[in-house]
Structures are given as structure tokens and as C-alpha cells.
Amino acid sequence: MTHDHDLVLRPTQAQISAALNPPPGRNGGDLVVETLAGLGATTVFGLPGQHALGMFDALRRSDLRYIGLRVENNAGFAADAYGRITGEAAPLLLSTGPGALTSLAALQEAASASAPVLAISSQIPTAGLGGGRHGYLHELPDQSASFRGVVKSVHTVRSQSQIPSAIAEAWTSALSAPHGPVWVEIPQDVLLAETAIPVVTGGDAFPEELPPRPELTAVAAHLLSHATRPAIIAGGGVVRADASGKLRKLAERLSAPVVTTYGGKGAFPWTHPLSLQSWLEDRHTTDFLEDADVLLVVGSGLGELSSNYHMFKPRGRVIQIEADLGKLESNHPALGIHADARLALQALLETVEPREDETAPERVRELLARVRERIASQELTLEQEVLASVRKALPADAPSFWDMTILSYWAWAAFDARRPNTMHSAQGAGGLGYAFPAALGASAADPTRPVLAVSGDGGALYSIAELATARQYALNVTWLIIDDGGYGILREYMTDAFGETMATATELTRPDYVALAESFGVPGVRTSPETLSDDLAKALASPGPSVVVLPVVLRMFAPTHLGYGTGPEAAG
């Protein structure tokens, strides 16, 4: 059988002439930029650096749009969001050593969330590679070793002729399921040297499909068709695979209730009669899922957050569909199906037998009522009103990006994302500073919609420099900063665990965020819980960046019973 991509196309006479007469003044950086354009890239993120100047010199001559951030880690977060929103590999251009290493936390988040980021870094000159000359600026003994435990694949270039193929190979890796960040490094002298290699005019990069094994989906379909109490856990893999529609069809065909993980927000309609929503950190939800005789887990590794801090102990048969082989059956024995969520759900749709269960919607209603009753008993009206105000102000199709802060932990469980692929947070790796730079990347991906970023005052201090980026590129991002005077969640954890906090660690001296935003030329407003919805809606409706500061102390909802955690070990 012949595939389309097996065919070798004959070059036209014009292509032959262009190849034999490349324009003068090109360098190795041009090969990088030309390859990215040939693969379909339109936007790149990053920061220049001395060793990487060959790429930026070429970028100046190209049609690619460049979004330059102020910190490499923030540039990585922006590329992460661009990849999530577009489904394309987002190029991230970095310099050697400190610049490269500063991106590591962002690449860890991209790996955790399966966001396709194509990081291209410079390297020291080839004479210093492999233990040659020492003492180069930014030199590391083995730079790529710092990234091998974080990214999907590492590609090291030693000559200009390797550049197009290495980048195309990395591009394929980034976009093959599971999506993820990849790393390419190119020595400074290779980037700077003039090249006679023909202009790169096209890209041959075909992401590999990951279909399920048919004998496994046959067994899974049989189990689901004959289940008495089936249930579904939908993770981020459903969102990344653009499989939300297929998930809904399967759930309806099976009359199976669905809970979405925090990474899978929006994968299933929030108000659907079969929606268990996202109350994973809840004993009632855990009990419901444990009681399922057949549990289908799609696109989730059932990690710490998705398993109620590993308190979840399923009693029925588990079917796990997961594109990341390392996550398959890593936490629970299952019928493991290594596959892309979209392809696996399609296979199940073609083979399951419809089952009727008029009790399923009623069981869902009863569960959600118990959850609401539990939350209502804790006198957390303020927190729920603040979250409702955010939902009211945010257009249904507008993306939102959430930092590791108390309001975000509420949003994971209680926020209706309204649409697939619109709510994103740093819950994969759990680092601070994600929301605002990620929102900038999302705005670059789609400038037609406003974008919301939500941070605590602690997380906001990681990203303040990017107010300059927001202003420079006039990006339509509204930044909501919840100012509670410190790392609010750590304040709660320390008080609960030790009876008091280490005030010098959890309480923060911080700037006047409104005045600071205005010093960057970004409009700012100080709001209150009563005026939040109107102030936020007005900011979101205004073009360009804006900052809304809400001085308020929020509390987390309490654990269901002793032994159940109240949130990730992270600050906000």
C-alpha cells in the first residue's frame, strides 16, 4: 500500500533554478527560520542571546512573527499556551546556558500538560562540544542532559546540513501523541556561518498516529456494553486530542456519568445530565467512582490530583486509554490501551452496544446535591461569589489561564469552562507564574478573543516583567490579581499543620499593582467582590492589556474527612 507521504514529488524547473542559485547573505539561522516556515509555523517566542544571534538575524529577514518576552521561563509558558490553543508546535528560541536553563520549569509544565513546544537553543561553538575546548561563555558540560528528563526528545545539530532534518524530526515528535515539548540545540558557529545550502522550501513532517489495538477495544467495548454502573473519567488527553465530541457521544450511548479531571476541564458539558463535573477532591465523588463496575479512564494517568491524592481505590474493572505509555497502568491495574484518545473513542463508538439506564441522571443529581450540601456547610459564600463573578464576566468562548492560587483550586472543582480547550492551569507541574505569560501566548494565537489570566499576588511577582510584553504587542489580556498579602495556600497549610505560619516566608511585601501596571502603560483598576463582575467585564471588553486587582483573603474548602488533602503543595 502506498501512502501519500511515500510519494517523491519532482521539483519544478523554478525550484531547481532556485536551489542552484540560493540568495547570498544567508547563514545557518536562515535554515532554522526557513524550516520553521516550511513546516507551517507563523509565530515564534523567545529571547535573543549572544550565541543565538544567528537565528535572530535570520528572523529579521523572515515573515515569521516574533513575540519577545522578558524572561525565558515566561517565553516558554507563552509557547505552551500557543501550542494548547492552536494544536500546532510552538517554536521557542533560546540562547545557551542560563537562557536555556531558565526555560526548564515551563518545559516541565508543557510536558505535564502535553503541550507541543519546539524549543530551539543555541550551543557553544562546535570546538567546545564533547569535551573539547573549555571556558566558553554560558558553557555547560552537557547542556542537553539538563533537558532529557523533561522533554520528549533531544536533537543535537553539528552541521548546517543537519538543521532542516533535525527540526522536522523534532516537529514530528512534538505533534505525535502524546504532544509535548522537544529540544533542538545548534552551535553558535553553525548558526553564524554563511551557507550555500538551498533555501528550505517545504517541510516533510508527519506526526505519527497512535491507533488502539483492535483486540483491546473489542474487550473494552464488551465490558462497557454489559456494565451495570459504568462511569468515565475524562482527562487532559481528551482535550489535547480534540475528542470532546466523541466522548459525549460515547457517554450518551452508554448512559455513563462523566467526571472531568482538572486538566480535562471542558472535555464534557458541565450541565449535561450525565456530568459529575470536576469535584475530584471530594469523598462523595470518590465513592461514586469506586462503585462503578466498569470505569473508563480516557487521557489521564490518574495521578495525585485526579485520584483524590491517591485515596481513590476502584473496585470494578478499569479500562485506561492513554497516549503516554509511561502512564499506562502506572497507578492502577487496568485494561491498558496505548492510544490517542480520539482514535480510541472512535473505535469504541463503532463497537459498543447502546445501553439504557434511566437511573444514571438521577444518581448524578444526587451526588452533586451532596457535594453542594457539603460546601454550603462550610460558610464559603465569598469564595463562591468571587468565582461566579469571574464566570459571569468572562465570555463563554474566551480562554482563561490560572496560576497556582486559591481561586484556581476552587476553579478546578467548581468552574464551568463552557467550552473544550478554554480553561488552562499550571496543575500539571504546579509551578508559579504560569497564568499571565501563558495568556499572552494565547492572545498571540487568537487576537479575536479576550483572554483572562488569574494569579495570586505571590504568583504575580513572577510575571510582572511581562506587562512590558503585553503593552509592546498590545495583547488582549486581562490580568486578575487576587491580592491576599502573601502565599495564601501555604499560609493555610502551615497553620493547619503547625498551628502557625513562618510569617517571613508566607507574608509578602508587594507593590501597588494598579500603579505598577499604569507605569507600564497598562490600565489598572482596584476592585471589590461586589464590583468584580462589572470591572472585569469592562476590562475584558477593552482592547489591549489591563490589570484588575482584587484585595481579598479567600479560603479553601475543607477536606471531606480527616486524611483528605485540601489542595496541591503549591503556593499562590
Side-chain angles (χ1 to χ4, degrees):
M1 183 172 64
T2 301
H3 298 279
D4 289 344
H5 56 263
D6 291 331
L7 301 176
V8 178
L9 300 178
R10 284 181 173 273
T12 65
Q13 191 57 48
Q15 288 173 321
I16 293 173
S17 177
L20 293 175
N21 300 281
R26 293 163 60 247
N27 59 24
D30 285 277
L31 297 174
V32 172
V33 170
E34 291 163 5
T35 303
L36 291 174
L39 289 166
T42 58
T43 301
V44 300
F45 301 87
L47 274 82
Q50 180 176 329
H51 288 171
L53 291 181
M55 288 191 288
F56 285 83
D57 177 55
L59 197 58
R60 173 178 57 84
R61 295 190 291 274
S62 81
D63 293 328
L64 294 179
R65 177 178 58 158
Y66 171 68
I67 305 290
L69 287 92
R70 303 306 191 264
V71 183
E72 286 85 356
N73 200 49
N74 293 336
F77 285 144
D80 166 304
Y82 187 95
R84 295 192 200 197
I85 294 295
T86 64
E88 302 168 3
L92 172 64
L93 305 187
L94 302 166
S95 194
T96 320
L101 294 177
T102 303
S103 73
L104 269 170
L107 295 176
Q108 183 188 5
E109 178 58 43
S112 299
S114 296
V117 175
L118 174 55
I120 304 176
S121 166
S122 57
Q123 246 291 22
I124 61 172
T126 51
L129 295 178
R133 293 178 185 167
H134 289 292
Y136 284 103
L137 182 70
H138 306 326
E139 182 178 0
L140 289 166
D142 185 355
Q143 178 173 277
S144 63
S146 300
F147 295 86
R148 283 199 177 91
V150 175
V151 299
K152 282 186 68 178
S153 57
V154 170
H155 311 260
T156 299
V157 168
R158 298 293 183 121
S159 65
Q160 290 183 341
S161 62
Q162 296 175 359
I163 290 175
S165 294
I167 293 176
E169 185 179 336
W171 183 280
T172 298
S173 176
L175 290 176
S176 295
H179 292 179
V182 294
W183 183 259
V184 180
E185 56 181 30
I186 308 172
Q188 177 190 26
D189 55 324
V190 175
L191 290 171
L192 289 175
E194 188 171 349
T195 185
I197 294 174
V199 173
V200 182
T201 56
D204 289 326
F206 300 94
E208 298 175 11
E209 291 191 337
L210 188 57
R213 296 181 62 84
E215 69 274 15
L216 296 179
T217 53
V219 173
H222 176 81
L223 291 170
L224 290 165
S225 299
H226 296 88
T228 304
R229 298 177 310 282
I232 299 173
I233 297 177
V238 177
V239 178
R240 296 279 75 75
D242 192 20
S244 301
K246 295 185 185 300
L247 171 68
R248 178 174 180 170
K249 288 180 182 177
L250 183 65
E252 291 174 344
R253 191 166 298 178
L254 294 170
S255 298
V258 179
V259 65
T260 56
T261 70
Y262 303 151
K265 296 286 289 187
F268 194 74
W270 189 256
T271 57
H272 192 284
L274 293 172
S275 175
L276 297 168
Q277 301 180 358
S278 298
W279 288 97
L280 287 167
E281 195 180 335
D282 179 275
R283 182 69 242 181
H284 302 307
T285 303
T286 302
D287 288 342
F288 188 102
L289 296 172
E290 287 180 346
D291 187 55
D293 61 332
V294 178
L295 180 66
L296 174 63
V297 182
V298 189
S300 171
L302 290 182
E304 185 177 31
L305 301 186
S306 302
S307 64
N308 202 346
Y309 299 88
H310 298 300
M311 296 293 181
F312 172 55
K313 306 293 182 187
R315 294 191 295 271
R317 190 73 184 270
V318 178
I319 302 164
Q320 185 185 13
I321 296 168
E322 176 56 58
D324 187 336
L325 188 61
K327 294 179 181 177
L328 203 63
E329 294 193 74
S330 63
N331 288 311
H332 296 282
L335 172 65
I337 301 176
H338 182 218
D340 176 78
R342 184 180 180 85
L343 299 178
L345 288 172
Q346 180 60 41
L348 290 177
L349 279 170
E350 293 171 359
T351 49
V352 296
E353 300 170 16
R355 61 176 299 278
E356 299 293 334
D357 184 356
E358 296 179 358
T359 70
E362 179 58 31
R363 289 190 293 120
V364 169
R365 285 193 295 271
E366 290 175 356
L367 169 64
L368 294 178
R370 288 196 295 271
V371 173
R372 284 193 297 270
E373 183 180 355
R374 180 175 76 85
I375 298 300
S377 70
Q378 298 177 32
E379 299 181 357
L380 295 165
T381 304
L382 172 63
E383 288 76 7
Q384 295 176 79
E385 288 178 347
V386 168
L387 195 62
S389 293
V390 174
R391 180 62 281 174
K392 181 181 178 182
L394 186 67
D397 64 344
S400 60
F401 291 81
W402 303 71
D403 217 331
M404 301 296 284
T405 188
I406 287 178
L407 189 62
S408 299
Y409 303 162
W410 271 96
W412 292 344
F415 191 77
D416 177 3
R418 299 271 174 92
R419 303 279 194 280
N421 203 31
T422 56
M423 180 180 172
H424 305 272
S425 69
Q427 58 88 30
L432 276 178
Y434 172 79
F436 187 54
L440 299 180
S443 181
D446 183 0
T448 66
R449 297 182 291 175
V451 184
L452 174 67
V454 180
S455 299
D457 54 296
L461 291 171
Y462 279 63
S463 312
I464 286 296
E466 305 311 335
L467 284 168
T469 302
R471 180 70 278 161
Q472 180 172 344
Y473 298 99
L475 297 170
N476 295 320
V477 175
T478 293
W479 192 8
L480 173 61
I481 300 174
I482 312 295
D483 186 356
D484 66 1
Y487 296 126
I489 193 67
L490 293 179
R491 183 190 292 141
E492 280 201 17
Y493 287 164
M494 291 189 76
T495 302
D496 291 345
F498 310 114
E500 60 182 319
T501 68
M502 180 182 176
T504 53
T506 61
E507 310 312 302
L508 299 174
T509 297
R510 64 248 186 243
D512 179 334
Y513 287 104
V514 172
L516 184 59
E518 291 174 344
S519 75
F520 281 92
V522 174
V525 61
R526 186 170 287 100
T527 190
S528 68
E530 293 74 25
T531 59
L532 172 61
S533 182
D534 290 342
D535 288 339
L536 198 56
K538 182 179 178 181
L540 286 162
S542 302
S546 57
V547 171
V548 177
V549 179
L550 175 63
V552 69
V553 176
L554 304 176
R555 294 186 298 135
M556 271 301 296
F557 50 83
T560 313
H561 62 72
L562 197 61
Y564 275 75
T566 61
E569 299 299 326

